[in-house]
Amino acid sequence: MISYLKRVEIMKKINKSRYAILGLLLDKPRSGYEIKQFMLEFTIHFWQESDASIYPMLKTLEVEENVTSKSEFVGRRERTIFEITEAGKNEFLQWLVLPAEEGTRRNEYLLKLFFSANATKEDVIQQLQLRQKSIEESEVRFRNIAENVLSKVSDENDRKLFWTLTLNNGIMHVKAEERWLADCLKMLKK
Amino acid sequence: MISYLKRVEIMKKINKSRYAILGLLLDKPRSGYEIKQFMLEFTIHFWQESDASIYPMLKTLEVEENVTSKSEFVGRRERTIFEITEAGKNEFLQWLVLPAEEGTRRNEYLLKLFFSANATKEDVIQQLQLRQKSIEESEVRFRNIAENVLSKVSDENDRKLFWTLTLNNGIMHVKAEERWLADCLKMLKK
DNA sequence: TAACCCATGTAACGGGTTACATGATTTT
DNA sequence: AAAATCATGTAACCCGTTACATGGGTTA
């Protein structure tokens, strides 16, 4: 229980998976599997966790008494539902108002482009087109979230507003990338 | 020497620091320290390496015979200069034409915003303004690269062109982020 | 002569993913 | 009856950073 605050003092760099998970549990009780699914639908463009992070972290949070668990049946299927405690809520809220830290920026695509004086023009153009395709896919995914997913979310206490804002962020950056790609292709074909 | 290709088969996810370093050495021979400095100036917005990656990786690359090293004096100061070998060049070029992999997207700032229904309006606005400040700093940094750094680079074989394109990418995204932040503040103040 | 770069490195630690494993239930 | 999905988990492994350490050279 105690060890967490101690870790913060000593280490500086702490695991943020915990906050992503606590935040979703503050919205409502969920199973590990539901957390995974939710992230795939809503937060994929700015936050993701793998199974191998979620399940162990839920156990850790339970030991720390930040969440409690209970067994529940959906039809005949059993699953473990986790609920946030007051302690967990407090820890989450403390994190929420802290200034966000910037993560390491690593973009392999730009790294390749940076070195592309060593490639043929054809190879560079092919890479750019691959990138265009992957960006288009993101755009489709975003439109899908906007039309099919977010439209079904109820707007208690501005929750939907903030979900929309993060989605908009993704859309803006995708559009910026598209414009930039078009510019690049224009310059290369000269 | 051998082990590298074997690792690729088995593991799938391999270290990309090697390519960033090989790419810079293909440009010209450099010391570890110069590699670090160069990245801080030119690639900071899409690629970074810490000392604790660069120096050990240079040693690994030397064992693999992808680079060779020699001692050099700058004034009285000694440093180890690394030069890429034909083998190293080949490995780099093979990577260069491969499709770029997308890294994990993790943006703590957006994660907080996503959960901001649990914060006060004042806290949210403060976070947005912090973000604005950090984005402005990026913009200044980019302008500095464009005006003071890139202007001094000679344009052998399109090198400068590609360096400019990656810089433009940063600029486009910074502008997109600024517009989005302005939109957010507008929506929140309603 | 103190402060600050230059220059190179290592140990320790936590982070996070892939791959593997299991078994039940529902759908086709 | 097979395939897909639900649901949960572990082991192994690499990744990458922080913190620490060292010592010489240069500048104010």
Side-chain angles (χ1 to χ4, degrees), chain A residues 135-144 174-175 178:
Chain A
I135 291 293
E136 270 166 42
E137 281 164 24
S138 299
E139 228 196 333
V140 170
R141 214 167 43 234
F142 287 148
R143 234 196 321 268
N144 180 55
V174 155
K175 285 185 181 165
E178 276 172 355

Side-chain angles (χ1 to χ4, degrees), chain A residues 121 124-125 128 184-190, chain B residues 161-162:
Chain A
K121 201 178 213 179
V124 178
I125 289 178
L128 284 164
C184 287
L185 283 167
K186 213 188 295 171
M187 288 182 84
L188 281 174
K189 281 171 179 168
K190 270 199 298 204
Chain B
L161 168 66
F162 291 110

Side-chain angles (χ1 to χ4, degrees), chain B residues 76-102:
Chain B
R76 272 194 224 152
R77 234 171 217 155
E78 193 178 5
R79 45 184 200 175
T80 313
I81 302 288
F82 293 87
E83 194 162 350
I84 194 167
T85 62
E86 274 303 307
K89 191 173 167 176
N90 288 337
E91 193 184 320
F92 173 79
L93 292 177
Q94 276 174 39
W95 163 80
L96 188 61
V97 295
L98 252 49
E101 282 173 38
E102 301 225 12

Side-chain angles (χ1 to χ4, degrees), chain B residues 163-177:
Chain B
W163 294 9
T164 306
L165 291 183
T166 60
L167 178 62
N168 287 348
N169 185 278
I171 293 172
M172 297 285 265
H173 282 287
V174 155
K175 284 186 182 165
E177 189 81 1

Side-chain angles (χ1 to χ4, degrees), chain A residues 96-114:
Chain A
L96 188 61
V97 295
L98 252 50
E101 283 173 38
E102 301 226 13
T104 318
R105 279 178 294 256
R106 285 202 155 188
N107 183 333
E108 192 187 2
Y109 174 72
L110 287 180
L111 185 65
K112 282 176 195 272
L113 187 70
F114 189 79

Side-chain angles (χ1 to χ4, degrees), chain B residues 51-106:
Chain B
D51 301 13
S53 298
I54 293 173
Y55 292 111
M57 181 51 76
L58 283 167
K59 285 203 167 161
T60 304
L61 289 170
E62 188 168 15
V63 171
E64 295 171 357
E65 298 178 18
N66 285 316
V67 305
T68 57
S69 73
K70 62 174 182 227
S71 200
E72 201 184 85
F73 282 84
V74 179
R76 272 194 224 152
R77 234 171 217 155
E78 193 178 5
R79 45 184 200 175
T80 313
I81 302 288
F82 293 87
E83 194 162 350
I84 194 167
T85 62
E86 274 303 307
K89 191 173 167 176
N90 288 337
E91 193 184 320
F92 173 79
L93 292 177
Q94 276 174 39
W95 163 80
L96 188 61
V97 295
L98 252 49
E101 282 173 38
E102 301 225 12
T104 318
R105 279 180 294 257
R106 283 203 157 190

Side-chain angles (χ1 to χ4, degrees), chain B residues 8 40 42 47 131 159 164:
Chain B
V8 175
L40 281 175
F42 284 91
W47 203 267
R131 181 77 176 168
R159 194 181 58 161
T164 306

